């Protein structure tokens, strides 16, 4: 069994998975804030899920951790939502467990988990995370593509309309402003995404924001497929709890483009896009698989 | 010596290069139209450049060819500018030379040539080709990234302004419409890019198209770096004959973004962008290097 832990902004999700990524045990606790609490809650989640299986974390075949922020050699920087400026997470957890975990960025871990959850046979996928922020994790040739400075997949900062809504940093029409929890909240004056989307059938302002969400997701899928020609784009993150309406709205935008463009019709974006089950803990699974040397 | 041939829409460029990509001999002839003439002119260019070195094409250490269109196993499809629907180019040239060349798409060959010309040490680069069309060739981890269907790098079809100028296929604000020879001609009602750009200091319509060109190049660079985090973006293709004004204009657009965005300022796009010498035949060099097993 491989142990994987996804430390998110609100919850820390620990799983024990089989060598092919099937979840055997899972335990979720609230995430801590600040270096000490973040480590404490990760240790708690791991201990509880291992107890359920009658093992200790040191007995797992491998251990992996996913966490927001920049990660280099097990050291996490700039994980603002967790109150972390700099934390040597791998060493802190190694002290608790007696084994040193593989630590990776949560979106990269999510990409590995999404890839494994989709069968692990595609040569290339993009995992489009529609969470508090928007970013993509890339699996190219069966491995995570990180780029020169570990910043690959930061497509949320790409502007796709110079006259679009302003994001943080005054960026107009950024993908993250259209299609993330923080972007929807920014456009709505602070209302959470779930509330804005629920109101969209009756409120014109909310409907406009929802239409922008579909436009943003469709545009991100087009950008990832045309740039990288990945086999599949797998959508995950909190906004995918919208379910079918998200896919329907995104497909409607893409079909509008395809009616005008023979080229885009030939690319067949809708066939290459799917939504992951929001109940599948892809980042925790991916963290476990990273620990086991996959991706 | 490695033989490389770049079959372009107007000219066929043959080079003999050293194992590290230095051009030793070069000969350029007009390209043919249609299967027979395209092969005839490639054979002529190769024979002439080899004559100059006192060898025959079969004596070269390796032979590679770059050509527009889709290329699979030496067979070229949909090279419209050359009047080719389908051509088994590798077999046709093997008959003439007694050795079978490696055949690749010209933008992929250009990426390999640009990478070698830049020292061949970067782990990742994007070659942004601003020619008749706009597309990128990608070198990731020292190899050409082609994608699932060989279509990676087709970023010309990405829209970056829903209210931008309409391209072919009614695509608004496509990168290719802003920043390619065909796109500039489309916006200007048929005038060639060189004429439009020459008139931009005195004509408002031409100035607007030139500003769109800078916006398009800057946006393509941002898109490639944020998506892939490549070390460098190398600009090539006919439009780069503008020289310094192209770089200056593009840098001006990027610096405008950076004044508003701490994130973009940290990415430092201008430091990661450079223009290749327009006199360096990167696609022919890259074709020769592909033949030699690089990229």
């Amino acid at each position: 069994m491989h142990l994987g832990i996804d430390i998110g902004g609100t919850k820390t999700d620990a799983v024990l998975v089989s060598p092919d990524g099937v979840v055997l045990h899972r335990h979720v606790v609230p995430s801590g804030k600040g270096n000490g609490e973040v480590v404490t809650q990760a240790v708690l989640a791991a201990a509880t899920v291992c107890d359920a299986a009658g093992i200790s974390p040191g007995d797992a075949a491998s251990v992996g951790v996913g966490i927001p922020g920049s990660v280099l050699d097990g050291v996490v920087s700039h994980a603002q939502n967790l109150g972390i400026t700099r934390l040597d997470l791998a060493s802190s957890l190694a002290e608790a467990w007696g084994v040193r975990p593989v630590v990776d960025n949560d979106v990269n871990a999510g990409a590995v988990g999404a890839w494994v959850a989709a069968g692990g046979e595609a040569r290339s996928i993009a995992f489009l995370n529609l969470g508090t922020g928007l970013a993509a994790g890339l699996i190219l040739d069966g491995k995570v593509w990180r780029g020169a400075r570990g910043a690959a997949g930061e497509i949320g900062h790409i502007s796709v309309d110079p006259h679009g809504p302003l994001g943080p940093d005054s960026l107009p029409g950024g993908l993250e402003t259209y299609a993330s929890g923080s972007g929807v909240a920014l456009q709505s004056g602070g209302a959470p995404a779930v509330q804005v989307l629920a109101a969209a059938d009756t409120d014109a302002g909310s409907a406009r924001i929802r239409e922008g969400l579909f436009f943003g997701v469709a545009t991100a899928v087009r950008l990832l497929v045309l740039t990288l020609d990945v086999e599949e784009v797998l959508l995950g993150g909190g906004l995918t709890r919208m379910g079918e309406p998200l896919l329907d709205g995104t497909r409607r935008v893409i079909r509008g483009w395809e009616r005008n463009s023979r080229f885009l019709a030939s690319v067949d974006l809708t066939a290459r896009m799917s939504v992951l089950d929001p109940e599948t803990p892809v980042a925790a699974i991916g963290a476990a698989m990273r620990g086991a040397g996959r991706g």
Side-chain angles (χ1 to χ4, degrees), chain A:
Chain A
M1 284 189 293
H2 302 274
L3 174 60
I5 297 144
D6 171 37
I7 302 176
T10 55
K11 62 188 176 54
T12 292
D13 196 332
V15 295
L16 282 167
V17 302
S18 69
D20 49 354
V22 176
V23 176
L24 306 172
H25 296 277
R26 181 178 180 190
H27 191 77
V28 181
V29 301
S31 291
K33 295 280 172 195
N35 289 5
E37 276 293 312
V38 163
V39 171
T40 299
Q41 291 303 90
V43 169
L44 171 65
T48 313
V49 79
C50 286
D51 270 357
I55 64 169
S56 73
D59 299 329
S62 66
V63 190
V65 180
I67 188 165
S70 302
V71 180
L72 189 66
D73 294 334
V75 177
V76 183
S77 313
H78 308 300
Q80 290 163 352
N81 289 341
L82 291 165
I84 292 172
T85 303
R86 185 185 179 283
L87 166 62
D88 186 345
L89 183 60
S91 298
S92 298
L93 292 172
E95 266 182 46
W97 296 333
V99 292
R100 189 177 169 87
V102 172
V103 180
D104 208 337
N105 170 272
D106 62 340
V107 178
N108 289 337
V112 175
W115 175 61
V116 168
E121 287 175 9
R123 227 183 113 229
S124 58
I125 63 126
F127 168 62
L128 179 58
N129 191 50
L130 308 170
T132 306
L134 181 152
L138 308 172
I139 305 280
L140 303 182
D141 239 347
K143 295 210 167 296
V144 176
W145 176 256
R146 297 161 200 286
R149 306 184 189 182
E154 289 289 355
I155 64 170
H157 296 268
I158 294 175
S159 167
V160 293
D161 184 352
H163 310 289
L166 288 187
D169 271 1
S170 310
L171 178 75
L175 285 175
E176 182 163 283
T177 306
Y178 286 113
S180 73
S182 64
V184 168
L186 189 74
Q187 291 184 74
S188 69
V194 62
Q195 188 180 317
V196 175
L197 298 172
D201 282 335
T202 53
D203 173 66
S206 301
R208 191 181 40 73
I209 294 172
R210 182 175 64 179
E211 201 53 33
L213 167 64
F214 299 150
F215 168 76
V217 175
T219 301
V221 171
R222 171 160 77 180
L223 187 151
L224 290 166
V225 171
L226 295 190
T227 305
L228 288 165
D229 191 17
V230 285
E231 289 179 38
E232 293 180 76
V233 179
L234 303 171
L235 312 185
L239 289 186
T240 62
R241 292 189 184 277
M242 277 183 81
E244 274 304 307
L246 176 68
L247 260 188
D248 287 348
T250 302
R251 283 199 199 104
R252 178 167 46 72
V253 173
I254 292 172
R255 292 205 177 111
W257 296 335
E258 290 178 345
R259 274 195 292 279
N260 288 319
S261 165
R262 281 174 54 197
F263 174 80
L264 271 182
S266 78
V267 173
D268 206 2
L269 294 176
T270 55
R272 294 162 83 162
M273 170 182 85
S274 53
V275 175
L276 294 157
D277 178 355
E279 303 310 321
T280 303
V282 288
I285 295 170
M289 294 288 94
R290 287 282 302 127
R294 303 233 10 218

